[in-house]
Amino acid sequence: MIKKLLEISFKKCDEHSPLYRQLESQIIQLICHGILKPGQALPPSRELALSLQLNRKTVVATYEELDAQGWVETRDRSGVYVSRNLPDTSAHTIKQHSPDLTRNLQPAYAIINRSSDVVTRTDSGVQINAPEMPTPLYKIDDGFPDPRIAPIEELVREYRRFGKGRLANQFLTYGPEHGSYRLRVELANFLSKTRGLQITEKEILITKGTQMAIYLTTQLLISPGDSVFVPEPGYRDANQTFKLAGANLTFIPVDKDGIDVDRIEQLCKTQVPKMIYIIPHHHRPTTVTLSAERRMRLLRLADKYGFALLEDDYDFDYHFSSSPLLPLATLDTGGHIIYVGSFCKSIAPGVRIGFIVAPEVVINEAAAIRKLIDRQGEQLLEEATAELLKAGDISRHIKKSHKVYQERLEHTCMLLREQLGEYLTFDKPNGGLAIWATYRENISGKAVALNAGKLGLKISDGTNYFFEPDTTRPNDYIRIGYSSLNETEMAGAIDIWKQALTLFKAK
Amino acid sequence: MIKKLLEISFKKCDEHSPLYRQLESQIIQLICHGILKPGQALPPSRELALSLQLNRKTVVATYEELDAQGWVETRDRSGVYVSRNLPDTSAHTIKQHSPDLTRNLQPAYAIINRSSDVVTRTDSGVQINAPEMPTPLYKIDDGFPDPRIAPIEELVREYRRFGKGRLANQFLTYGPEHGSYRLRVELANFLSKTRGLQITEKEILITKGTQMAIYLTTQLLISPGDSVFVPEPGYRDANQTFKLAGANLTFIPVDKDGIDVDRIEQLCKTQVPKMIYIIPHHHRPTTVTLSAERRMRLLRLADKYGFALLEDDYDFDYHFSSSPLLPLATLDTGGHIIYVGSFCKSIAPGVRIGFIVAPEVVINEAAAIRKLIDRQGEQLLEEATAELLKAGDISRHIKKSHKVYQERLEHTCMLLREQLGEYLTFDKPNGGLAIWATYRENISGKAVALNAGKLGLKISDGTNYFFEPDTTRPNDYIRIGYSSLNETEMAGAIDIWKQALTLFKAK
């Protein structure tokens, strides 16, 4: 009977695993399911080998393993038996895949999942290599840099150097949760040079991109029920992060000078928020830059009301109309600001190096949580980035790519005006890697994106810009990342887009 | 007056930044601090250049920048003025570094910080390169692998390949939050082969080491006030993660067969936990393996009471007395188990690749949070690891290192018995990368660690094994990681340790 059972189950096995391990697994399963009972005899190895068409040595090895692991006991002369100290589960009814884990999922996930499409698909990436999604010919993204012009060779060269010999021993073991000491020192220099921040490495925590910086700040400052002011339209992943921590979001409008500080001032009179989230350069999605006047007023309000300012300067490097504006963090005298940024725009999104700048005590608290999240960053990558910063490779790349992107911006604006002028309007942004355009009346961004997709162009369907649904909005919008496509590619992409628009209009 | 002020502040500046940027920053600061008032005239460029000993072009460039950024306005013929639309802050009293951010820190951090030494120092790593800490001659760690024998060259080779040309464009941009598709497929094969898990890539999420897997599971399942059973002594970083989420911990004793299932059964009658955390192989810190009998009983209890089991199989690969035992996840029929593990032990701790195995719906929920934490893993590293798994490099390395570590274990046990037998006792573990030893009566682990540190050996002071302080414990313990030191190094380390013990006894 047991032989028969094993014959059946054994044949169902996969080819990945060594035979003795497969047989072992089968016998353990039979024991756990109560089919083989404590004390019951197993077939003699010779017999079982014959009936399963295995070498007898395989069966003997399996029995020895099972014995060593405590599943069976071998009695001299009389054979192999299921261990008598195991519990008898033969009368036990097994619930078939009871949904316990699912039932136990936290209510918090309802928050994310209510806006379901955001979570199940990667709204700003591609489900790379997943066979169910065909690769489009072109993709107009959310405003990502072009990794083809980034100093990746240099980065990998350094990565390689730090992964060798004596250094490997240092950088491939556990490291500090604050991030690479050298990178923090180099970054303090770099931020002081580019942004006028007067800081040392003690005020810096290395994170995995801006997203982790936002997440850690939120975990530090926000308790369930806390009020957070956020721009609308705004950055969905930040809003989700605040919601996940239980924040109540208040949406502040954004105009051509950035977030509406009048509105913030007015609201503060009755309801002071715990934190305000701002994107000072090239607001995501509308690309506007917070004006000098509003920066000053925001700082005064922070002084007056004591709220924290989370300053997400994700796109500092590519400002074209002037030098980038100094961060609010540079001008702050009240210790209200947590300043976050990354190299995801200036090197490549896949190079996940970001940072938090804040008072030392805040940095240490953030590091304590960071340790519980993933213990540490990728040390080889952090050391390699430190080296590139020190050698000036990153500054040189920013300078070089600044020129490339400015040209691509001019070219894309020209194409948009000439090719798509009858379908959309836009203002040329003063910086950043995207253009914010408004479809003319009665054009559905969703329908156009669908058409474009069929023709081989992936573009945004516009559903992720506003956090709160509002069916009365008269126009559809689209954010056009122009920097990751060269001129030929962009011309090809806009050509398809135009076809998609013509198709839409023809209907 | 303004010239004077600028002269003073300008001289204080650092040398990192270009001159015009420094001057720009200084003038903006004066405006923000209310010293320069809206509408006030700035000195003519020629005059200011003279008094600051700058080229006049530098001052002109600065004024142009300030104009473009909206801080000043240039009126034809009459000169440069502070913008009249800026707020007048001259009457505004600035709070000097008000502690708002610190005051706002969440109460949760008290939880971590009460056990303060855990947070401020890296208990299982070294504060690499931080100048205040001298590098010890030897370090007996918590049981880390030796990166010197790991396939790092192979990994960096693949890393390099994926960072080049067309592939760079794919893997250096945003990717899926579930982790590399190829790695998930290869890992499903690998786990099925080594652990008998019948899974596909859909049941796998790639994380940054086991720690992120524990963190994500906790965020998914635990709400404030939920009960979690944990082993004691146990793994502090896991306990902290549960506490951070607001869990009430119940400590379950651990004996030579692992966590005490009798105790769990008894407690379940009055208080069913939301989750039980177990380490099935080589319990951390005591190195014991959960017996076959207890595995079966735990599964039955999970079926009966519906709690979730977080199975942390961090140290599956190095089992010496038999093949590793099949995970509870392989034997589970009720869908209760979240199985987590990593390559931190089998490759190197710095190679932060871990995984969660769970039903697909749980994986998707975990991925949604993961996206908010740091968006995605390091794609180049994930692709490189997929390649190594596929080519069999990782299996070969595990086989090879298995032998090396088994020899190091034998050698270390021999040295401990011969050199330190009068100071401590231990049982040789049946696997894992550490030995759990008990100091003989009246030997203070803390004092010995301090002595050893002065002599150039870093060893644990034993304060991190138990979560709950208990001054009645008769003996001190130490966990001895033997795998990262070769035979010569270990002999050297134990020699110093012996000196430290002799010193202690002499007092």
Side-chain angles (χ1 to χ4, degrees):
Chain A
M1 198 283 235
I2 294 162
K3 269 192 303 179
K4 202 75 207 160
L5 266 171
L6 280 170
E7 257 175 73
I8 296 163
S9 60
F10 194 64
K11 277 185 192 146
K12 277 190 287 182
C13 284
D14 69 322
E15 75 282 28
H16 292 305
S17 174
L19 284 173
Y20 85 95
R21 202 74 173 124
Q22 286 186 41
L23 182 58
E24 178 193 321
S25 170
Q26 290 302 322
I27 295 175
I28 295 172
Q29 303 270 7
L30 291 178
I31 295 172
C32 285
H33 291 193
I35 296 162
L36 284 172
K37 291 177 191 56
Q40 191 170 349
L42 290 176
S45 55
R46 194 184 304 269
E47 234 175 79
L48 188 58
L50 207 66
S51 90
L52 297 180
Q53 294 176 297
L54 293 172
N55 190 313
R56 190 187 156 202
K57 279 181 189 162
T58 306
V59 180
V60 171
T62 306
Y63 282 178
E64 280 171 8
E65 268 301 328
L66 290 170
D67 192 338
Q69 293 177 24
W71 295 105
V72 304
E73 48 200 28
T74 310
R75 291 179 221 153
D76 279 348
R77 294 170 186 271
S78 77
V80 177
Y81 298 82
V82 177
S83 283
R84 273 169 305 184
N85 74 343
L86 295 178
D88 183 355
T89 57
S90 54
H92 175 58
T93 345
I94 295 152
K95 291 188 217 159
Q96 282 299 315
H97 290 271
S98 82
D100 289 320
L101 280 178
T102 322
R103 206 186 52 220
N104 279 340
L105 292 175
Q106 272 223 69
Y109 296 90
I111 296 161
I112 310 188
N113 286 326
R114 224 173 292 138
S115 44
S116 64
D117 64 336
V118 182
V119 164
T120 46
R121 64 201 191 78
T122 324
D123 68 317
S124 50
V126 216
Q127 195 74 14
I128 289 165
N129 269 350
E132 57 271 4
M133 260 194 213
T135 315
L137 212 53
Y138 301 110
K139 180 161 183 282
I140 294 183
D141 58 37
D142 200 55
F144 305 151
D146 188 344
R148 292 171 298 186
I149 65 168
I152 301 303
E153 278 292 316
E154 291 83 344
L155 192 76
V156 173
R157 183 193 64 215
E158 294 304 326
Y159 191 97
R160 201 179 182 191
R161 191 160 72 85
F162 286 107
K164 256 188 184 164
R166 239 170 23 84
L167 290 171
N169 205 21
Q170 188 175 12
F171 296 123
L172 284 167
T173 187
Y174 290 112
E177 58 268 26
H178 285 74
S180 149
Y181 178 76
R182 263 160 40 89
L183 179 55
R184 291 165 71 209
V185 170
E186 292 300 333
L187 193 57
N189 281 343
F190 179 79
L191 294 178
S192 133
K193 201 160 137 185
T194 54
R195 290 153 171 86
L197 286 165
Q198 298 296 319
I199 50 168
T200 71
E201 80 284 355
K202 289 193 168 61
E203 283 100 35
I204 290 182
L205 176 79
I206 305 298
T207 62
K208 286 194 67 218
T210 307
Q211 187 60 42
M212 184 183 252
I214 293 173
Y215 184 85
L216 287 172
T217 304
T218 307
Q219 295 302 307
L220 272 178
L221 294 182
I222 305 303
S223 309
D226 280 348
S227 159
V228 176
F229 288 3
V230 298
E232 174 83 339
Y235 181 39
R236 183 173 280 267
D237 283 0
N239 291 347
Q240 301 257 27
T241 308
F242 308 143
K243 287 288 263 187
L244 187 63
N248 291 325
L249 302 188
T250 301
F251 297 95
I252 311 290
V254 176
D255 62 23
K256 66 177 186 25
D257 290 322
I259 197 165
D260 183 345
V261 178
D262 283 338
R263 180 89 185 117
I264 291 173
E265 186 160 19
Q266 189 194 339
L267 284 171
C268 276
K269 286 173 189 157
T270 53
Q271 167 211 12
V272 175
K274 181 63 110 21
M275 182 167 90
I276 300 183
Y277 171 69
I278 54 166
I279 307 172
H281 276 107
H282 324 132
H283 179 73
R284 187 171 173 154
T286 70
T287 77
V288 298
T289 294
L290 192 64
S291 70
E293 181 251 345
R294 291 195 183 173
R295 285 171 191 241
M296 280 183 72
R297 282 177 54 212
L298 252 184
L299 284 170
R300 286 190 64 192
L301 291 175
D303 265 342
K304 185 166 174 188
Y305 293 107
F307 53 76
L309 272 169
L310 172 52
E311 182 177 17
D312 177 359
D313 213 359
Y314 80 109
D315 199 4
F316 174 91
D317 298 299
Y318 301 105
H319 197 66
F320 303 127
S321 63
S322 68
S323 294
L325 275 75
L326 291 180
L328 278 78
T330 307
L331 310 173
D332 180 35
T333 50
H336 300 291
I337 297 189
I338 294 193
Y339 181 76
V340 302
S342 78
F343 290 108
C344 299
K345 294 282 176 281
S346 52
I347 306 181
V351 175
R352 309 291 301 153
I353 301 274
F355 50 82
I356 301 180
V357 174
E360 189 181 351
V361 52
V362 177
I363 291 298
N364 289 339
E365 296 282 354
I369 313 176
R370 198 263 152 86
K371 191 176 174 219
L372 297 183
I373 292 178
D374 67 350
R375 177 154 268 203
Q376 69 187 56
E378 233 256 292
Q379 291 192 93
L380 288 186
L381 186 64
E382 290 182 3
E383 293 300 322
T385 307
E387 206 55 37
L388 259 55
L389 264 179
K390 195 177 172 191
D393 287 313
I394 289 178
S395 299
R396 267 192 299 278
H397 167 68
I398 290 175
K399 211 165 168 180
K400 194 184 89 182
S401 55
H402 195 279
K403 195 161 165 287
V404 173
Y405 293 152
Q406 196 163 8
E407 284 166 9
R408 287 187 184 176
L409 172 61
E410 294 297 339
H411 179 253
T412 305
C413 286
M414 187 267 288
L415 286 178
L416 287 175
R417 269 192 302 267
E418 287 182 1
Q419 301 290 318
L420 305 184
E422 55 178 309
Y423 303 110
L424 50 76
T425 60
F426 64 94
D427 291 322
K428 195 177 89 179
N430 58 12
L433 303 185
I435 299 160
W436 178 245
T438 312
Y439 279 114
R440 293 190 189 275
E441 226 170 316
N442 300 323
I443 295 182
S444 154
K446 223 166 181 165
V448 173
L450 200 69
N451 285 349
K454 287 177 193 156
L455 296 166
L457 169 68
K458 190 165 156 45
I459 53 172
S460 163
D461 65 358
T463 49
N464 276 330
Y465 305 133
F466 292 86
F467 204 69
E468 290 207 298
D470 173 5
T471 49
T472 65
R473 229 168 261 131
N475 291 88
D476 278 3
Y477 298 91
I478 184 162
R479 185 172 151 97
I480 305 162
Y482 65 81
S483 44
S484 61
L485 299 179
N486 65 30
E487 301 202 351
T488 317
E489 289 161 345
M490 185 55 87
I494 287 185
D495 203 52
I496 298 181
W497 194 358
K498 190 174 182 178
Q499 291 173 43
L501 279 156
T502 317
L503 265 178
F504 173 79
K505 277 290 188 187
K507 260 193 292 190
Chain B
M1 196 287 237
I2 294 162
K3 270 193 300 181
K4 202 76 210 157
L5 266 170
L6 279 170
E7 256 177 72
I8 296 163
S9 60
F10 195 65
K11 276 184 193 143
K12 279 189 287 182
C13 282
D14 69 322
E15 75 282 29
H16 292 304
S17 174
L19 285 173
Y20 85 93
R21 202 75 173 125
Q22 287 185 40
L23 183 58
E24 177 194 321
S25 170
Q26 291 302 321
I27 294 176
I28 295 173
Q29 305 268 6
L30 291 177
I31 296 172
C32 285
H33 292 193
I35 295 162
L36 283 172
K37 290 179 193 56
Q40 191 170 349
L42 290 175
S45 55
R46 196 183 304 269
E47 234 176 78
L48 188 59
L50 208 66
S51 90
L52 296 181
Q53 296 176 296
L54 291 172
N55 190 312
R56 192 189 155 202
K57 279 183 188 159
T58 305
V59 180
V60 171
T62 306
Y63 282 177
E64 280 172 7
E65 268 301 329
L66 289 169
D67 192 338
Q69 292 177 24
W71 295 105
V72 305
E73 47 201 26
T74 312
R75 293 180 219 153
D76 279 347
R77 294 169 185 272
S78 75
V80 177
Y81 299 81
V82 177
S83 282
R84 275 169 305 186
N85 74 343
L86 295 178
D88 183 355
T89 57
S90 54
H92 175 60
T93 347
I94 294 152
K95 291 186 217 161
Q96 283 298 318
H97 290 270
S98 80
D100 288 319
L101 279 179
T102 323
R103 205 188 52 217
N104 279 340
L105 292 176
Q106 271 224 70
Y109 296 91
I111 296 160
I112 309 189
N113 287 327
R114 225 172 292 141
S115 44
S116 64
D117 64 337
V118 182
V119 165
T120 47
R121 64 199 192 78
T122 323
D123 68 317
S124 49
V126 215
Q127 195 76 15
I128 288 166
N129 268 349
E132 55 271 4
M133 258 194 217
T135 314
L137 213 54
Y138 301 110
K139 180 162 183 283
I140 293 183
D141 57 38
D142 198 54
F144 305 152
D146 188 343
R148 293 172 298 188
I149 65 167
I152 301 302
E153 279 292 314
E154 290 82 345
L155 192 75
V156 174
R157 185 192 65 213
E158 294 303 327
Y159 192 97
R160 202 180 180 190
R161 190 160 73 84
F162 286 108
K164 257 189 184 166
R166 236 168 28 82
L167 289 171
N169 204 22
Q170 187 174 14
F171 296 121
L172 284 167
T173 187
Y174 290 112
E177 58 267 26
H178 285 73
S180 150
Y181 178 76
R182 262 159 41 90
L183 179 55
R184 291 164 72 210
V185 170
E186 291 301 332
L187 193 57
N189 281 343
F190 179 79
L191 294 177
S192 130
K193 201 160 136 183
T194 55
R195 289 151 171 88
L197 285 165
Q198 298 295 317
I199 51 169
T200 71
E201 79 282 357
K202 290 194 167 63
E203 282 100 36
I204 291 182
L205 177 79
I206 306 298
T207 63
K208 286 195 68 219
T210 306
Q211 186 60 41
M212 184 182 255
I214 293 173
Y215 184 86
L216 287 173
T217 304
T218 307
Q219 295 302 307
L220 271 179
L221 295 182
I222 304 304
S223 309
D226 279 348
S227 159
V228 176
F229 288 3
V230 298
E232 174 83 338
Y235 180 41
R236 183 173 280 268
D237 283 0
N239 290 347
Q240 300 255 29
T241 308
F242 308 143
K243 287 287 259 185
L244 187 63
N248 292 325
L249 302 188
T250 302
F251 297 94
I252 310 290
V254 175
D255 63 22
K256 65 174 188 27
D257 290 323
I259 197 165
D260 183 343
V261 178
D262 283 339
R263 180 88 183 114
I264 291 173
E265 184 160 21
Q266 187 195 343
L267 284 171
C268 277
K269 285 173 189 157
T270 54
Q271 168 211 11
V272 175
K274 181 65 113 15
M275 184 168 87
I276 300 181
Y277 171 69
I278 54 166
I279 307 172
H281 276 107
H282 325 131
H283 180 73
R284 187 169 174 158
T286 70
T287 78
V288 297
T289 294
L290 191 64
S291 70
E293 181 251 348
R294 290 195 183 174
R295 287 170 188 239
M296 278 183 75
R297 281 177 54 211
L298 253 183
L299 283 172
R300 286 189 63 190
L301 290 175
D303 266 341
K304 184 166 175 188
Y305 293 107
F307 53 74
L309 272 168
L310 172 51
E311 182 176 18
D312 176 0
D313 213 0
Y314 81 110
D315 199 3
F316 173 90
D317 297 300
Y318 301 104
H319 198 67
F320 302 127
S321 62
S322 67
S323 293
L325 274 74
L326 290 182
L328 277 77
T330 308
L331 309 174
D332 180 34
T333 49
H336 300 291
I337 298 189
I338 293 192
Y339 181 76
V340 303
S342 78
F343 289 109
C344 300
K345 294 281 176 282
S346 51
I347 306 181
V351 175
R352 307 293 299 150
I353 301 274
F355 51 82
I356 301 180
V357 174
E360 189 181 350
V361 53
V362 178
I363 291 300
N364 289 338
E365 297 282 352
I369 314 176
R370 199 265 150 88
K371 191 177 174 215
L372 297 182
I373 292 178
D374 66 351
R375 178 154 268 210
Q376 69 189 55
E378 234 255 290
Q379 291 192 92
L380 288 186
L381 187 63
E382 290 182 2
E383 293 301 321
T385 307
E387 205 55 37
L388 261 54
L389 264 178
K390 194 178 170 189
D393 287 313
I394 291 178
S395 298
R396 267 191 298 279
H397 168 67
I398 291 174
K399 210 164 168 181
K400 194 183 90 183
S401 54
H402 194 279
K403 194 162 166 287
V404 173
Y405 293 152
Q406 194 163 10
E407 284 166 10
R408 289 186 183 175
L409 172 61
E410 294 297 337
H411 178 252
T412 305
C413 286
M414 185 267 288
L415 287 176
L416 287 175
R417 267 190 304 264
E418 287 181 3
Q419 301 290 317
L420 307 183
E422 55 179 307
Y423 303 110
L424 51 78
T425 60
F426 65 93
D427 291 322
K428 194 176 89 179
N430 58 13
L433 303 184
I435 298 160
W436 178 245
T438 311
Y439 279 115
R440 293 189 189 275
E441 227 170 315
N442 299 324
I443 296 183
S444 154
K446 222 166 181 162
V448 172
L450 199 69
N451 286 348
K454 288 176 193 156
L455 297 167
L457 168 68
K458 188 165 158 44
I459 52 172
S460 164
D461 65 0
T463 48
N464 275 329
Y465 305 133
F466 292 86
F467 204 70
E468 292 208 297
D470 172 5
T471 49
T472 64
R473 229 169 260 128
N475 292 86
D476 278 2
Y477 299 91
I478 184 162
R479 185 171 151 98
I480 306 161
Y482 65 82
S483 43
S484 61
L485 301 178
N486 64 29
E487 301 202 352
T488 318
E489 290 161 345
M490 185 55 86
I494 287 182
D495 203 53
I496 299 181
W497 193 357
K498 189 175 184 176
Q499 291 174 45
L501 279 156
T502 317
L503 266 178
F504 173 82
K505 277 291 187 188
K507 261 194 292 194

